[in-house]
Amino acid sequence: MSATFEPQIVAFCCKYCAYAAGDLAGSMRLNYPPNVKVVQVPCTGRVDILHLLRAIEEGADGVYVAG
Amino acid sequence: MTTANKSNDVVGSVLVVGGGIAGIQASLDLADSGYLVKMVEGQSAIGGVMAQLDKTFPTNDCAMCVISPKLVEAGRHLNIDLFTTTEVEKIEGEAGNFKVTLLERPRYIEMDKCTACGECTKVCPIDVPNQFDMNLRERKAAYKLYPQGMPSAFAIDKRGTAPCKATCPAHVSIQGYIALINDGRYKEALKLFKQDHPFPAVCGRVCHHPCEGECTRNDVDQPLAIRELHRFLADYEKQSGEFYIPEIEAEKRDEKVAVVGSGPAGLTAAYYLLQQGYGVTIFEKLPEPGGMMRVGIPEYRLPRDILADEINVIQKMGAEIKCGVTFGKDITLESLKSEGYAACFMAIGLHGGRNLGVENEDAPGVLQGVDFLRDAAMGKDVEIGEDVVVVGGGNVAIDVALTAKRKGAKNVTLICLEKREEMPAWEHEIEEALEGDITIVNSFGPKSFFIDKGNKVSGIEFKTCTAVFDTDGRFNPQYDDNACQPYFGDTIIVSIGQSTNLEGIKEQGIAISRPGGLEADPVTLQTPIDWVFAGGDAFYGPKSVVDAVSCGKEAAESIHRFINGLDLTEGRDKKWEFVKPDIANEPLKARTTVRCLDPEARECNFLEVSFGYDENEAKNEAERCLKCGICSECYQCVDACLAKAVNHDMQPKRTVVEVGSVILAPGFTPYDPSKHAYYAYANHPNVLTALEFERVLSASGPYQGHLMRPSDHREPEKIAWLQCIGSRDINQCDHAYCSGVCCMYAAKQTVIAKEHSDKNLDTAVFFMDMRTYGKDFERYYNRCKDEHGVRFVRSRVHTIDPVEDDNLRLRYVNEDGEIVEELFDMVVLSIGLAPNEQAIQLADTMGVELNSHKFAQTSDLAPVATNREGIYVCGVFQGPKDIPQSVMEASAASAAAAKNLSMARGTLTRTKQLPPEQDVAEQEPRVGVFVCNCGINIGGVADVPAVREYARTLPHVVHVEDNLFTCSQDTQDKMKVVIQENNINRVVVASCSPRTHEPLFQETIREAGLNKYLFEMANIRDQNTWVHMNNPEKATEKAKDLIRMAVAKAAYIEPLHQVSLDVTQSALVVGGGVAGMEAALGIADQGFQAYLVERSDQLGGNALWLRQTWQGEEIKPHVTALIDRVENHAHIRAFLNTEVIETGGILGNFTSTLGTGGETMTTVAVEHGVTIIATGGKQYEPNEFLYGKHPNVLSHKEMDEAMTAEDPRIAAADSAVFIQCVGSRNEEFPSCSRVCCTHSVKTAIALKKQKPEMNVYITYRDIRTYGFREDLYRKARELGVIFIRFDQQAPPKVVNGDGDQISVTVKDHVLGRPIEINPDLLILATGIRPNENKDLFELFKVPINAEGFLVEAHAKLRPVDFGSEGIFMAGLAHYPKSIDETISQAQAAVSRASTVLSKPSIMVGGVTAVVDADKCAVCCTCVRTCPYNVPMIGPEGHAVIDAAGCQGCGCCVAECPGKAITLNHFTDQQLIAKTVALFTECVTA
């Protein structure tokens, strides 16, 4: 793993809480690395193991579910 | 409503005052039930105190997460008209038809244009305490109350115009340029000054600064050096060498204007006329321009180059200045007219002197002051002798004296009529004269000049002036001719006034006023010759430069109007008023002195005396500004706002609304502990109020959720909470009542603080009684103690002493009676809920009565009604309460408000007319991508054109564009056209968050004929440019990624169709107690059918044995009346001896089978749209404390019955003991039964009243007389009821003693030893249990908790709803509550039910789960998974998910092992398409 390695992260976020927190981070102009991409889900209960594995298969270095 | 003909006038609209959670809930219920809501909020956004909270108890949910969907819903609701920054001014009319006058304060930002991009905030130089963050940090004057606030628009905080600006004749935004100096933005500051005044440098030296006289700093110490500050700006500019030339934005015009006179008035008029696009020529008689600024003000005060620079700017703007041109000789009105001048402004000044009119005045050696100054200024040789006498006491005389001195005079004596303190010259000029060695002689008037042999003047004789002004203050000097004094000198300079030279003026037909000046209209400055205007000194007499500037501006305005044929007077009567801020605690800050040329160094030269400020001095001085106007009117926001939403000219607006009912929910004020020195709150930063601590804990608060103390931002290791601050306190004249929420919020704060702490945070709560009486509160309290190790110390702390290291020392007496001292890093004051001043005012306006605590007066049997018919209350204004109780009451108020308006339901509500939807089923995806710049919020970081062009290359994309603001109305209109023109059938908007904007864009595409689900958003602002500001390249790339993901999903999205289902407009109510009867009547009174089912043989439930409400209202008559109304109501069918034996169906269409009569059961099926469960509770049957074993041991119920029946045991008793918490707050049943303390205290009072000598004891663990019930506790103690506290581990011992005498032994906590009482009566405060209804609850699939109480959909905001749609609850089945609270909840259930019943049909479907019957293996996983109990196995043998009940969470989809379930709009295919797209670079087409 090189020193410049930047993992690509996919985040599945519940629209009521974690996605809202993502927006709040924006309102507060907090900085975080741009290699996190958020996918909004209606509830973290909707997230299927399939979605996580498929993301990794496609090339994600990390996946997280937040809600 | 009483009569039928009256019903015609009923208005189907309700006014809701207060935008907190109670107001929001009431508004939503009403708007969803067919009423138009007018919602009024005083602040700039709704949300109230709940929006300020961090977490909520007892679930520790994030308050903002919970409330923000409600905010959006209320903010966007078609039938809620939101009035923010608004107060109610007046109400007229009566129930059913009120006319209410609303006064909306300007927010200075137009809401329909504001896109909430926040650019105004970035440029605003004014910092003010952020009240939302409880002043723990600052915000700007241009602000949004909080990030999630609704309406999502900014506002500007103003306190009128600042005194300085209001007072300045030119109305320069003084506070504005000072704020900009503070910010180091000197260029902007100078530009701002020059908006209203062309001479910052000149006036920076010579202005008489009337502004400083009104400066609020002057009331504290000394005024700001306002003049020096703008001089600094001009000096700074001069140093830079680049002069700001105002841009001429207006189009060049053909009309020319002639200005006669190049003094400040003439130059100013030219300056503004040029900006309007006119050609301007200035004619000047003297060889150089500048008027009195050039020839009247000595150079040591105003250097020539400074003046020349400022005149030069006006020339660069395009003014032509012709010097040496005399009006009346070289030019005339006629010649100007013939040269094509459209207007002429006469500003010729006062260049002549005034004579004394005494003997020998014409002798050589007698000079006129203005002539002398002019000659000196023009560099002419002026011959003066060594001894100069100046006659006059004004500013000109002083200039003359100082100039004479500099011109070589040895002795200069200034002699004037006035006394020193009466002299018209300004004080600082007089002082400068004294510094310049000028002798000032007062109270002499000239009598005659002495002349020498050569007829040259040699002196002047003065007579004593005894009075300058008469009793009316008019100039009318009186002399004593006998007291004369000669003064000798070789030059006498007369400087007693000025006159204008009218030579060549009169001849032109120009009118002359009586005092000998030019005549013109005082407002418009128009002379009798319509195209000729007059101003400046020649018009109004000698004044200052700034007055001339003001006059020149007015002249320019008049001339502009004249040329354009506009009304010259309209709108010119503006009054400049100001309000000063409170300066009570303002620290002193000395004025920064100006460095000056040493007095000795001034001799015989004309070097500038004052050096002005350097940058540091200017900043020091600027910092002293008190920001009187809050907004400084620096207008930076106007330039920054690309949406052109800022409007500083907004005025207060009155609106009259017509409504049928009014709901008041104005809330409370957090108690302010600063008046009590012993809390050390006012001056110790580490003593916080609980609300401040909420902001400390909040992730969006001042410390971003990091636990730290304000003094040093160090993480505290030990925090104390002090309870009952401003509550339960009569000694300090505070509030006597219990605030009801503080025990619980303190417990919550201890837990959350511990969660936020890396260290082992020590938390201690100092309390009197722990009042955790709400649902699941006692469990929470127990967990705090047992699991989190929170220390609860039963002690009232009286003093907080600040000690070293910003710590605090608490001294208290512990339970063992020992005095303990303990140090804490931080103290949180659990402040109470105090009455709100605005609410008190509102109650007065509304004619609503308040109780002795200044909250709304209500009755227990009509808990949301006020004394005035048609006006209802809810929330804390009704009495201290927590959020669920407020929400419940809000729904109750909504039901009460709607009750009499049902005939007008739906008459004022709006519905959208929509075009038919296009069928896109067979079409290939044609995606349109709209990329938003969001002003510069996105475009300023990411490369939007590059993103846009990239989007063009994505599959299926047929159209791309970028917009400044995609959400603005004009872009929305354009989008609709673009969609239709390009046959777009999928729309992607790349902008902000779908949470706030998806509904708006969905509405737009629906209006363009597309199904609203054919829409997808890419959040490239909140989750991209706002968080990657420092990395524009990466932000651009991420924007592309996010759009690629959105487009990928868009290719798979499909239209979803909601279907309309008819609603059966009737309700099934289960349970015939007070809750059930109130609910049934509420439904029936609105005209809907109600079926009331009661399993016993009579209606009434527990209320049949209850005697009085806690406020002493008789319950029996009320219940009897209720039963009577239920039995006789046309819309109620009551079934006694009946149980529900079957139920089925979906929201809006349930069918239930009712079985009556036990074994010989008859059944009937009823159809109903909603169900209300009110199955009640019962009292705990004790097996302890001799209950059932001794005749004089009574339960609560038996005691009430005995008292009602006037049982002889009561009259015979000489002593009584109550034991609290019987069957409550123990291991078996952890909950507090909430009502027992009040009931015992009330009963004890009744006993004491009947027989004052009776010994009445109440043994208790914590007395929980919450809210105003505390009054009863106080009264009981006053009456001599003895309260003995015991520990749970050591309950009272009750035995049957000798002769059947009851013996109660309890350890007294004060004496510390057991005491034995032998009462005649022992009353057990028996707790409350829910009624046994296991089968029924299973039938309705409603959940219950461990104690058997029904579980609501959400502990805070849905306290009446179940998770399943269309089913509601009320009464004891939910949790123990008093009768008033039961009535509230029953009314609330009616309101919630009405949101369904009020519609003939409802739309269902959309984002819901659907089952593929072929794949379903009937494993029932979905049935078990669904949090809302929606899936069931249908008659066809597979799972069925009812669209009306499905909440669209998708849990079942993820869990289904057979993949038989799909969640519409979030299909696997759609979600996976996003991740696939993220990792697939697009192939450029």
Side-chain angles (χ1 to χ4, degrees), chain A residues 23 28 31 36 46 48 51, chain B residues 699 993 1027 1038 1459 1466 1468:
Chain A
D23 287 347
M28 294 166 70
N31 270 287
V36 181
R46 170 66 191 96
D48 198 318
H51 306 145
Chain B
S993 174
V1027 288
K1038 185 168 170 180
K1459 295 263 156 263
F1466 291 94
D1468 286 338

Side-chain angles (χ1 to χ4, degrees), chain B residues 313-330:
Chain B
V313 167
I314 298 172
Q315 285 174 298
K316 284 206 170 135
M317 287 167 70
E320 191 184 351
I321 303 181
K322 291 186 174 172
C323 290
V325 178
T326 305
F327 184 79
K329 200 171 97 193
D330 304 321

Side-chain angles (χ1 to χ4, degrees), chain B residues 233 282 417 1160 1234 1244 1445:
Chain B
L233 291 174
I282 305 172
L417 278 179
T1160 57
R1234 187 177 178 115

Side-chain angles (χ1 to χ4, degrees), chain A residues 6-40:
Chain A
E6 275 204 25
Q8 285 298 321
I9 314 279
V10 181
F12 292 92
C13 293
C14 163
K15 75 167 176 182
Y16 292 100
C17 44
Y19 194 88
D23 287 347
L24 181 62
S27 303
M28 294 166 70
R29 307 296 194 274
L30 303 177
N31 270 287
Y32 59 83
N35 48 331
V36 181
K37 312 290 189 300
V38 173
V39 175
Q40 192 198 47

